Amino acid sequence: MRLGCILIAAGLLAACGQERADAPAATPAPAETKADPGLDSALEAEPAAPPVDDLDYKALSGYDDSWYVSPGWPGEYPAGFAVLDAGTTVPAWTVPNGANEADTRCALPQYANYQLWNYARAEADDLRFFVATKTFPVTLNQDASIEYISEGGIHTLDLKAGEQLTYLRYLGEGFTVVSHEGAEYDINEAELRDISDIGSMPTVEDQWVRVTCEGGDQAWLLYASVIEHPGVVPSPMLAYGEASDIAPEDAEQIRMDAEANRLAYEGVEPGSLE
């Protein structure tokens, strides 16, 4: 299996971005069948996969073994941030680890949109995304056969009450990566809701991106930090798999939309602060 982005077709989900050598062995390939034009169309509509990432994020970040470190950001619509104001300079890190304080500053170009699907910006600035997720045990409260997806299709993992899985990271579309006895599995998290204590622990994750600052230096930004900075807003979503830098004429509308979304999230009625 691969980590980093998600691809959903014919009812199956595959994560991509990094090979996982310890994934369960694939089942034999099925007999060849005729191509399905409908499936071909669905696949053509999916976003292009990002290039294979060759960085060892665990080694360069220094997260300990209680964290699962992997390329990409989670979510069927991964988060991102856009810079609307000129002269925006944000706290940055030389070593991307949440235990460290920001130790440098990074000036960001106005209208830049830092999102996984903004391939033009990713290539121009050599952006690198990874997420560190705090792992935790998931204990089953009953015997269960849990479906998981591998390159060979859908299989089942048979477990007994009291056995434990380890939560590793969220992928998207409800799918999560867990491990059991050294092997990793992509499963639908909803399957565990009623048969385990998975809902008792919050998901703690640090989402990092390496950017090229104005002037040419590179630094690491922590999403939770940069998104709180004035003049920075969540990336606007155009369509699945699509993202680009901000057109100057769209900046103020994006700013207003971001503020409206923030107030709605906080439960504030429009106009009540005027």
Side-chain angles (χ1 to χ4, degrees):
M1 301 296 293
R2 297 173 179 267
L3 289 177
C5 67
I6 56 172
L7 172 65
I8 302 172
L12 299 182
L13 176 148
C16 59
Q18 180 185 22
E19 295 287 351
R20 289 224 305 274
D22 53 357
T27 56
E32 182 177 354
T33 58
K34 291 184 178 180
D36 182 343
L39 179 57
D40 289 343
S41 298
L43 290 174
E44 289 173 2
E46 296 294 337
V52 175
D53 201 327
D54 58 354
L55 292 185
D56 185 342
Y57 292 110
K58 185 173 176 61
L60 68 85
S61 64
Y63 279 95
D64 64 32
D65 289 340
S66 67
W67 294 80
Y68 184 77
V69 179
S70 55
W73 283 8
E76 48 270 32
Y77 285 83
F81 58 93
V83 181
L84 300 185
D85 291 353
T88 297
T89 300
V90 299
W93 283 254
T94 53
V95 177
N97 189 303
N100 302 335
E101 296 291 334
D103 56 358
T104 187
R105 305 280 293 177
C106 181
L108 300 175
Q110 187 178 20
Y111 307 130
N113 182 19
Y114 298 93
Q115 208 273 348
L116 274 167
W117 295 335
N118 187 359
Y119 299 120
R121 171 65 59 180
E123 181 177 356
D125 287 2
D126 193 20
L127 302 182
R128 299 299 183 102
F129 296 82
F130 81 90
V131 60
T133 308
K134 189 72 171 178
T135 65
F136 59 87
V138 177
T139 304
L140 271 69
N141 56 37
Q142 59 185 268
D143 296 353
S145 293
I146 301 170
E147 291 186 343
Y148 67 90
I149 293 175
S150 76
E151 291 177 353
I154 299 178
H155 308 277
T156 57
L157 177 65
D158 297 323
L159 299 171
K160 299 292 186 181
E163 285 196 84
Q164 288 188 327
L165 304 167
T166 300
Y167 183 97
L168 299 182
R169 71 162 280 175
Y170 182 67
L171 291 173
E173 294 287 354
F175 279 79
T176 293
V177 185
V178 299
S179 66
H180 179 67
E181 296 183 345
E184 295 181 6
Y185 302 89
D186 297 352
I187 65 167
N188 187 337
E189 191 172 314
E191 284 201 47
L192 296 176
R193 290 293 172 183
D194 295 330
I195 63 172
S196 75
D197 61 354
I198 192 170
S200 65
M201 293 288 289
T203 301
V204 178
E205 58 190 12
D206 293 342
Q207 297 182 86
W208 293 95
V209 58
R210 190 188 70 187
V211 303
T212 299
C213 311
E214 291 192 319
D217 291 337
Q218 290 188 319
W220 290 93
L221 306 183
L222 179 63
Y223 177 75
S225 170
V226 70
I227 200 61
E228 296 296 328
H229 197 278
V232 176
V233 300
S235 295
M237 287 298 173
L238 304 175
Y240 183 67
E242 296 182 15
S244 62
D245 281 352
I246 306 303
E249 62 270 20
D250 295 335
E252 288 312 306
Q253 184 62 54
I254 290 171
R255 191 191 307 273
M256 289 189 293
D257 291 344
E259 179 64 8
N261 290 336
R262 183 187 68 82
L263 294 176
Y265 178 79
E266 295 175 356
V268 178
E269 292 292 333
S272 62
L273 298 182
E274 296 178 0

PDB file of all heavy atoms in Angstrom, residues 151-167:
ATOM      1  N   GLU A 151      -3.723  -4.160  -2.004  1.00  0.00           N
ATOM      2  CA  GLU A 151      -3.683  -4.067  -3.454  1.00  0.00           C
ATOM      3  C   GLU A 151      -4.404  -5.243  -4.102  1.00  0.00           C
ATOM      4  O   GLU A 151      -4.752  -5.191  -5.273  1.00  0.00           O
ATOM      5  CB  GLU A 151      -2.232  -3.979  -3.927  1.00  0.00           C
ATOM      6  CG  GLU A 151      -1.572  -2.657  -3.540  1.00  0.00           C
ATOM      7  CD  GLU A 151      -0.119  -2.589  -3.940  1.00  0.00           C
ATOM      8  OE1 GLU A 151       0.411  -3.625  -4.394  1.00  0.00           O
ATOM      9  OE2 GLU A 151       0.488  -1.522  -3.804  1.00  0.00           O
ATOM     10  N   GLY A 152      -4.637  -6.301  -3.353  1.00  0.00           N
ATOM     11  CA  GLY A 152      -5.340  -7.454  -3.892  1.00  0.00           C
ATOM     12  C   GLY A 152      -6.839  -7.399  -3.711  1.00  0.00           C
ATOM     13  O   GLY A 152      -7.553  -8.297  -4.146  1.00  0.00           O
ATOM     14  N   GLY A 153      -7.357  -6.364  -3.044  1.00  0.00           N
ATOM     15  CA  GLY A 153      -8.796  -6.245  -2.834  1.00  0.00           C
ATOM     16  C   GLY A 153      -9.143  -6.122  -1.363  1.00  0.00           C
ATOM     17  O   GLY A 153      -8.365  -5.596  -0.569  1.00  0.00           O
ATOM     18  N   ILE A 154     -10.317  -6.621  -0.989  1.00  0.00           N
ATOM     19  CA  ILE A 154     -10.803  -6.540   0.382  1.00  0.00           C
ATOM     20  C   ILE A 154     -10.599  -7.884   1.070  1.00  0.00           C
ATOM     21  O   ILE A 154     -10.958  -8.938   0.533  1.00  0.00           O
ATOM     22  CB  ILE A 154     -12.292  -6.144   0.419  1.00  0.00           C
ATOM     23  CG1 ILE A 154     -12.484  -4.757  -0.215  1.00  0.00           C
ATOM     24  CG2 ILE A 154     -12.825  -6.151   1.842  1.00  0.00           C
ATOM     25  CD1 ILE A 154     -13.931  -4.305  -0.273  1.00  0.00           C
ATOM     26  N   HIS A 155     -10.036  -7.848   2.282  1.00  0.00           N
ATOM     27  CA  HIS A 155      -9.777  -9.056   3.069  1.00  0.00           C
ATOM     28  C   HIS A 155     -10.290  -8.812   4.487  1.00  0.00           C
ATOM     29  O   HIS A 155     -10.787  -7.733   4.800  1.00  0.00           O
ATOM     30  CB  HIS A 155      -8.279  -9.372   3.088  1.00  0.00           C
ATOM     31  CG  HIS A 155      -7.660  -9.431   1.719  1.00  0.00           C
ATOM     32  ND1 HIS A 155      -7.709 -10.541   0.922  1.00  0.00           N
ATOM     33  CD2 HIS A 155      -7.011  -8.476   0.992  1.00  0.00           C
ATOM     34  CE1 HIS A 155      -7.104 -10.301  -0.232  1.00  0.00           C
ATOM     35  NE2 HIS A 155      -6.675  -9.046  -0.202  1.00  0.00           N
ATOM     36  N   THR A 156     -10.187  -9.822   5.357  1.00  0.00           N
ATOM     37  CA  THR A 156     -10.631  -9.661   6.737  1.00  0.00           C
ATOM     38  C   THR A 156      -9.513 -10.001   7.706  1.00  0.00           C
ATOM     39  O   THR A 156      -8.682 -10.886   7.453  1.00  0.00           O
ATOM     40  CB  THR A 156     -11.855 -10.548   7.051  1.00  0.00           C
ATOM     41  OG1 THR A 156     -11.532 -11.924   6.785  1.00  0.00           O
ATOM     42  CG2 THR A 156     -13.051 -10.126   6.213  1.00  0.00           C
ATOM     43  N   LEU A 157      -9.501  -9.279   8.804  1.00  0.00           N
ATOM     44  CA  LEU A 157      -8.570  -9.509   9.901  1.00  0.00           C
ATOM     45  C   LEU A 157      -9.396 -10.007  11.081  1.00  0.00           C
ATOM     46  O   LEU A 157     -10.253  -9.287  11.590  1.00  0.00           O
ATOM     47  CB  LEU A 157      -7.848  -8.209  10.258  1.00  0.00           C
ATOM     48  CG  LEU A 157      -6.880  -8.242  11.436  1.00  0.00           C
ATOM     49  CD1 LEU A 157      -5.705  -9.162  11.136  1.00  0.00           C
ATOM     50  CD2 LEU A 157      -6.379  -6.828  11.746  1.00  0.00           C
ATOM     51  N   ASP A 158      -9.174 -11.252  11.504  1.00  0.00           N
ATOM     52  CA  ASP A 158      -9.957 -11.858  12.582  1.00  0.00           C
ATOM     53  C   ASP A 158      -9.283 -11.598  13.925  1.00  0.00           C
ATOM     54  O   ASP A 158      -8.118 -11.968  14.131  1.00  0.00           O
ATOM     55  CB  ASP A 158     -10.109 -13.367  12.343  1.00  0.00           C
ATOM     56  CG  ASP A 158     -10.883 -13.670  11.065  1.00  0.00           C
ATOM     57  OD1 ASP A 158     -11.835 -12.917  10.770  1.00  0.00           O
ATOM     58  OD2 ASP A 158     -10.533 -14.640  10.368  1.00  0.00           O
ATOM     59  N   LEU A 159     -10.021 -10.960  14.833  1.00  0.00           N
ATOM     60  CA  LEU A 159      -9.476 -10.592  16.134  1.00  0.00           C
ATOM     61  C   LEU A 159     -10.411 -11.049  17.247  1.00  0.00           C
ATOM     62  O   LEU A 159     -11.618 -11.230  17.040  1.00  0.00           O
ATOM     63  CB  LEU A 159      -9.298  -9.071  16.215  1.00  0.00           C
ATOM     64  CG  LEU A 159      -8.338  -8.444  15.190  1.00  0.00           C
ATOM     65  CD1 LEU A 159      -8.427  -6.931  15.248  1.00  0.00           C
ATOM     66  CD2 LEU A 159      -6.911  -8.907  15.430  1.00  0.00           C
ATOM     67  N   LYS A 160      -9.848 -11.212  18.446  1.00  0.00           N
ATOM     68  CA  LYS A 160     -10.606 -11.619  19.624  1.00  0.00           C
ATOM     69  C   LYS A 160     -10.787 -10.429  20.568  1.00  0.00           C
ATOM     70  O   LYS A 160      -9.998  -9.482  20.558  1.00  0.00           O
ATOM     71  CB  LYS A 160      -9.870 -12.743  20.369  1.00  0.00           C
ATOM     72  CG  LYS A 160      -9.676 -14.019  19.546  1.00  0.00           C
ATOM     73  CD  LYS A 160     -11.007 -14.711  19.295  1.00  0.00           C
ATOM     74  CE  LYS A 160     -10.797 -16.055  18.598  1.00  0.00           C
ATOM     75  NZ  LYS A 160     -12.100 -16.726  18.324  1.00  0.00           N
ATOM     76  N   ALA A 161     -11.818 -10.500  21.392  1.00  0.00           N
ATOM     77  CA  ALA A 161     -12.034  -9.460  22.398  1.00  0.00           C
ATOM     78  C   ALA A 161     -10.790  -9.326  23.267  1.00  0.00           C
ATOM     79  O   ALA A 161     -10.188 -10.329  23.679  1.00  0.00           O
ATOM     80  CB  ALA A 161     -13.240  -9.821  23.257  1.00  0.00           C
ATOM     81  N   GLY A 162     -10.370  -8.104  23.539  1.00  0.00           N
ATOM     82  CA  GLY A 162      -9.172  -7.841  24.335  1.00  0.00           C
ATOM     83  C   GLY A 162      -7.925  -7.627  23.509  1.00  0.00           C
ATOM     84  O   GLY A 162      -6.943  -7.070  24.014  1.00  0.00           O
ATOM     85  N   GLU A 163      -7.928  -8.061  22.241  1.00  0.00           N
ATOM     86  CA  GLU A 163      -6.767  -7.798  21.386  1.00  0.00           C
ATOM     87  C   GLU A 163      -6.703  -6.312  21.060  1.00  0.00           C
ATOM     88  O   GLU A 163      -7.714  -5.599  21.079  1.00  0.00           O
ATOM     89  CB  GLU A 163      -6.839  -8.624  20.105  1.00  0.00           C
ATOM     90  CG  GLU A 163      -6.517 -10.091  20.308  1.00  0.00           C
ATOM     91  CD  GLU A 163      -6.212 -10.785  18.995  1.00  0.00           C
ATOM     92  OE1 GLU A 163      -5.058 -10.713  18.520  1.00  0.00           O
ATOM     93  OE2 GLU A 163      -7.144 -11.412  18.435  1.00  0.00           O
ATOM     94  N   GLN A 164      -5.483  -5.866  20.724  1.00  0.00           N
ATOM     95  CA  GLN A 164      -5.288  -4.445  20.468  1.00  0.00           C
ATOM     96  C   GLN A 164      -4.725  -4.187  19.074  1.00  0.00           C
ATOM     97  O   GLN A 164      -3.889  -4.944  18.570  1.00  0.00           O
ATOM     98  CB  GLN A 164      -4.344  -3.825  21.503  1.00  0.00           C
ATOM     99  CG  GLN A 164      -4.957  -3.673  22.887  1.00  0.00           C
ATOM    100  CD  GLN A 164      -4.060  -2.889  23.817  1.00  0.00           C
ATOM    101  OE1 GLN A 164      -2.836  -2.947  23.733  1.00  0.00           O
ATOM    102  NE2 GLN A 164      -4.670  -2.138  24.732  1.00  0.00           N
ATOM    103  N   LEU A 165      -5.216  -3.126  18.481  1.00  0.00           N
ATOM    104  CA  LEU A 165      -4.623  -2.524  17.292  1.00  0.00           C
ATOM    105  C   LEU A 165      -3.890  -1.259  17.728  1.00  0.00           C
ATOM    106  O   LEU A 165      -4.139  -0.739  18.819  1.00  0.00           O
ATOM    107  CB  LEU A 165      -5.697  -2.157  16.274  1.00  0.00           C
ATOM    108  CG  LEU A 165      -6.636  -3.264  15.800  1.00  0.00           C
ATOM    109  CD1 LEU A 165      -7.829  -2.668  15.055  1.00  0.00           C
ATOM    110  CD2 LEU A 165      -5.884  -4.241  14.906  1.00  0.00           C
ATOM    111  N   THR A 166      -3.021  -0.737  16.894  1.00  0.00           N
ATOM    112  CA  THR A 166      -2.395   0.556  17.153  1.00  0.00           C
ATOM    113  C   THR A 166      -2.841   1.536  16.084  1.00  0.00           C
ATOM    114  O   THR A 166      -2.675   1.270  14.885  1.00  0.00           O
ATOM    115  CB  THR A 166      -0.858   0.450  17.149  1.00  0.00           C
ATOM    116  OG1 THR A 166      -0.441  -0.461  18.163  1.00  0.00           O
ATOM    117  CG2 THR A 166      -0.225   1.816  17.413  1.00  0.00           C
ATOM    118  N   TYR A 167      -3.440   2.640  16.526  1.00  0.00           N
ATOM    119  CA  TYR A 167      -3.874   3.688  15.595  1.00  0.00           C
ATOM    120  C   TYR A 167      -2.649   4.426  15.090  1.00  0.00           C
ATOM    121  O   TYR A 167      -1.832   4.902  15.871  1.00  0.00           O
ATOM    122  CB  TYR A 167      -4.824   4.655  16.302  1.00  0.00           C
ATOM    123  CG  TYR A 167      -5.392   5.742  15.411  1.00  0.00           C
ATOM    124  CD1 TYR A 167      -6.652   5.592  14.847  1.00  0.00           C
ATOM    125  CD2 TYR A 167      -4.678   6.902  15.136  1.00  0.00           C
ATOM    126  CE1 TYR A 167      -7.190   6.588  14.021  1.00  0.00           C
ATOM    127  CE2 TYR A 167      -5.201   7.895  14.311  1.00  0.00           C
ATOM    128  CZ  TYR A 167      -6.453   7.727  13.759  1.00  0.00           C
ATOM    129  OH  TYR A 167      -6.970   8.704  12.945  1.00  0.00           O
TER     130      TYR A 167
END
